[in-house]
Amino acid sequence: MSERAIGIFDSGVGGLTVFKEIHRLFPGEELLYLGDTARVPYGTKSPGTVLRYALEAAAFLVDQRVKMLVVACNTASSVALEALAERFSLPVLGVIAPGARKAVSVTRNCRIGVIGTEGTVKSGAYTRAIHALAPEVEVFAAPCPLFVPLAEEGWSDHPVARLAAEEYLEPLMARGIDTLVLGCTHYPLLKKTLGAILGDGVTLVDSAEETANEVAGVLARDDLARRGPLLPPRFFVTDVPTRFERVGGAFLGTPLCGVDRVEIDGALFHPLDDSLRRR
Amino acid sequence: MSERAIGIFDSGVGGLTVFKEIHRLFPGEELLYLGDTARVPYGTKSPGTVLRYALEAAAFLVDQRVKMLVVACNTASSVALEALAERFSLPVLGVIAPGARKAVSVTRNCRIGVIGTEGTVKSGAYTRAIHALAPEVEVFAAPCPLFVPLAEEGWSDHPVARLAAEEYLEPLMARGIDTLVLGCTHYPLLKKTLGAILGDGVTLVDSAEETANEVAGVLARDDLARRGPLLPPRFFVTDVPTRFERVGGAFLGTPLCGVDRVEIDGALFHPLDDSLRRR
């Protein structure tokens, strides 16, 4: 049992799809969400830069004394998960492993597609995670850089999204995939559009849902579930909250307000400094 | 006469369209270009955050002893130009005033459209600049958030770009504009697509070309033209150069290599600190 909060972070609003699933499964948990909106997006940036940003975001949440860290960003999970788990002595969950596990469990023909940001696809993290579970599976990955701006523009069901999705998915469909991992926390917003193009023969794997299931496992395993009175979630961002409240509210389907701005860049430590706090 | 370089900065590759025009008009000038790729884009961020980033970018170039600063980014020009001109004692040019001047000079029906990032449109900078010259002109501004990712994806002439442009331009066309300011340094890449939709009745104003003309004026006015032997331009970025070299090379139409990575965030000064160097 632990009364502490669960800390969740992403580069911006995308991780709210993960937040939403965790909140739905565990209404009794207190959730702290940090969006690094002053430096969003992570998906086009280098592994070293994303690692630095992720360490700073995590350090902020650890300072809030969270009991668990959820990296609700595929790019950050791809390049920073190991470093985060090494640096901080609390459970650290990413979105890659849960998505990979689910994909392996649902594929019938052993041909899995993965879509994500440039950073996530380049890292090869999904391919490694899938092959660690099932070396015989063939993985076909494709970056879809326009999906994030399309989702943030509120154009997830727009003909522009449909046309872009047809272009991005065509090579994956040509490979005969029967499973597609939505390897970016923004992409669940495009589910309807993607499903219409792929048809019933392809199962969509939503990392958000799978990650929430993984949180359940850790809460049970480490006896971390919260029993105290209900507490509303708290949201933090690194730029002024206006845009996060507007776009994030649309993501969650409920108004988002009372978001606090915090500074995390360079304030806490140098990324190569070993003096990080451990608990 | 001055042998010093001209400093140009942008959040990323977009300002290369301005760089290209300046380089074309003044092959004898040495050009230093800085792309703040670790924090790109600026267009979705708050004025305060963009101001801080612009001050840091400018301070880096001033440290390189440039003779003139060109803010090759509409968002940064919108919110930071005045502060930059106050802080540094060298000529500081933005892209807003040149574009506004050109637009006012070409419009026949006094109905000007402006497209740009969310930040640029929200700032109202173009409307103010146009009204300062011609209060009778009606200005209709529209943010086009997908144009930057479309240009960076290399999809400027793609059907997806065409469809998105039709959606964004429709309200401006309904207002009967005869002039459209491309108020983002990425947008000149979409000229062909935009022109095809707007037809011959609408003149496109490219800030890049107009800004290069403004540089000519300052070089002449302050007698700053360079007479020394030709020097190749130098490029700096704040994230690893790989993506900048790839996307920027496509922007320039020539291979881009030998790009140096530098750190500028928080390294130089606190934005509210008055101890900035003056020359």
Side-chain angles (χ1 to χ4, degrees):
Chain A
M1 227 174 78
S2 165
E3 293 310 296
R4 293 192 189 178
I6 296 174
I8 305 169
F9 77 86
D10 176 39
S11 58
V13 294
L16 288 173
T17 58
V18 178
F19 163 87
K20 192 177 181 177
E21 282 303 309
I22 297 175
H23 193 49
R24 196 175 62 81
L25 282 190
F26 310 103
E29 293 295 331
E30 183 188 6
L31 304 181
L32 304 189
Y33 183 95
L34 170 67
D36 189 7
T37 51
R39 305 187 291 197
V40 70
Y42 288 176
T44 52
K45 286 158 195 161
S46 72
T49 294
V50 173
L51 174 60
R52 176 159 71 90
Y53 293 170
L55 285 168
E56 290 173 350
F60 169 79
L61 290 169
V62 169
D63 264 351
Q64 310 300 309
R65 301 182 52 79
V66 297
K67 62 187 171 191
M68 183 195 306
L69 214 48
V70 179
V71 185
C73 168
N74 283 269
T75 310
S77 294
S78 299
V79 302
L81 202 68
E82 215 168 297
L84 291 170
E86 247 172 52
R87 299 258 178 155
F88 302 101
S89 47
L90 77 182
V92 181
L93 305 187
V95 288
I96 306 281
R101 205 153 35 234
K102 178 73 175 185
V104 167
S105 78
V106 300
T107 185
R108 291 280 167 268
N109 71 0
C110 293
R111 300 176 82 80
I112 296 176
V114 175
I115 53 176
T117 65
E118 210 179 305
T120 298
V121 169
K122 262 197 189 153
S123 77
Y126 270 108
T127 307
R128 278 195 305 279
I130 291 170
H131 282 162
L133 300 167
E136 74 284 8
V137 166
E138 285 194 88
V139 183
F140 307 99
C144 304
L146 282 170
F147 283 173
V148 168
L150 281 165
E152 298 212 351
E153 181 71 330
W155 282 14
S156 297
D157 302 324
H158 192 280
V160 170
R162 167 104 195 182
L163 199 59
E166 282 170 357
E167 178 93 14
Y168 286 138
L169 296 180
E170 196 278 323
L172 298 177
M173 292 167 78
R175 299 304 197 119
I177 59 163
D178 73 346
T179 305
L180 180 67
V181 180
L182 307 180
C184 170
T185 50
H186 278 80
Y187 295 0
L189 276 85
L190 290 146
K191 260 185 192 172
K192 220 174 88 185
T193 296
L194 300 175
I197 294 168
L198 294 164
D200 290 339
V202 178
T203 308
L204 296 181
V205 172
D206 179 345
S207 297
E209 292 168 9
E210 302 312 318
T211 304
N213 292 334
E214 181 118 336
V215 169
V218 174
L219 287 177
R221 182 195 72 195
D222 295 354
D223 188 23
L224 288 176
R226 192 170 169 279
R227 307 264 179 266
L230 289 188
L231 284 173
R234 293 178 62 197
F235 299 95
F236 304 92
V237 288
T238 56
D239 197 352
V240 294
T242 331
R243 188 172 195 274
F244 180 85
E245 290 177 351
R246 175 169 54 81
V247 181
F251 267 47
L252 289 179
T254 54
L256 199 56
C257 51
V259 177
D260 285 316
R261 179 178 183 178
V262 294
E263 282 206 9
I264 64 168
D265 57 322
L268 290 163
F269 51 77
H270 188 277
L272 300 177
D273 182 355
D274 258 351
S275 67
L276 291 172
R277 78 231 71 201
R278 291 186 167 269
R279 305 220 160 160
Chain B
M1 228 175 77
S2 166
E3 293 310 297
R4 294 192 188 178
I6 296 174
I8 305 169
F9 77 87
D10 176 40
S11 59
V13 294
L16 288 173
T17 58
V18 178
F19 163 87
K20 192 178 181 176
E21 281 304 308
I22 297 175
H23 193 48
R24 195 175 62 81
L25 282 191
F26 310 105
E29 293 295 331
E30 183 187 5
L31 304 182
L32 304 190
Y33 182 95
L34 170 66
D36 189 8
T37 51
R39 305 188 290 196
V40 68
Y42 288 174
T44 53
K45 284 158 196 162
S46 73
T49 295
V50 172
L51 174 60
R52 175 159 70 91
Y53 293 171
L55 284 168
E56 291 174 350
F60 169 79
L61 289 169
V62 169
D63 264 353
Q64 310 300 310
R65 301 181 53 79
V66 297
K67 62 187 171 190
M68 183 194 307
L69 214 48
V70 179
V71 185
C73 168
N74 283 268
T75 311
S77 295
S78 299
V79 303
L81 203 68
E82 216 168 298
L84 291 170
E86 248 174 50
R87 298 257 177 153
F88 302 102
S89 46
L90 77 182
V92 181
L93 305 187
V95 287
I96 306 281
R101 208 157 29 239
K102 178 73 175 186
V104 167
S105 78
V106 300
T107 184
R108 293 281 166 267
N109 71 357
C110 292
R111 300 175 80 80
I112 296 176
V114 175
I115 53 175
T117 65
E118 210 179 305
T120 298
V121 169
K122 263 197 189 153
S123 76
Y126 270 107
T127 308
R128 279 196 305 280
I130 291 170
H131 282 162
L133 299 168
E136 75 283 7
V137 167
E138 285 195 89
V139 183
F140 307 99
C144 304
L146 281 170
F147 283 175
V148 168
L150 281 165
E152 298 210 353
E153 180 71 328
W155 282 15
S156 296
D157 302 323
H158 193 280
V160 170
R162 166 103 197 184
L163 199 59
E166 282 171 357
E167 178 92 15
Y168 285 137
L169 297 180
E170 195 277 325
L172 297 176
M173 292 168 78
R175 299 303 197 119
I177 59 163
D178 73 346
T179 305
L180 181 66
V181 180
L182 307 181
C184 169
T185 50
H186 279 79
Y187 295 0
L189 276 84
L190 290 145
K191 260 185 190 171
K192 219 173 89 185
T193 296
L194 300 175
I197 295 167
L198 294 165
D200 291 338
V202 178
T203 308
L204 297 181
V205 173
D206 179 345
S207 297
E209 292 167 10
E210 303 312 317
T211 304
N213 292 334
E214 182 119 335
V215 169
V218 174
L219 288 177
R221 183 196 72 196
D222 295 354
D223 187 23
L224 288 175
R226 192 171 169 279
R227 307 263 178 267
L230 288 188
L231 285 173
R234 293 178 61 197
F235 298 95
F236 303 92
V237 289
T238 55
D239 198 352
V240 293
T242 332
R243 189 174 193 275
F244 180 86
E245 291 176 348
R246 174 168 55 82
V247 181
F251 268 48
L252 289 179
T254 53
L256 199 54
C257 51
V259 177
D260 285 316
R261 179 178 184 178
V262 295
E263 282 205 11
I264 64 167
D265 58 324
L268 290 164
F269 53 83
H270 188 279
L272 300 177
D273 181 354
D274 259 353
S275 66
L276 290 171
R277 77 232 71 200
R278 289 187 169 271
R279 306 228 159 153

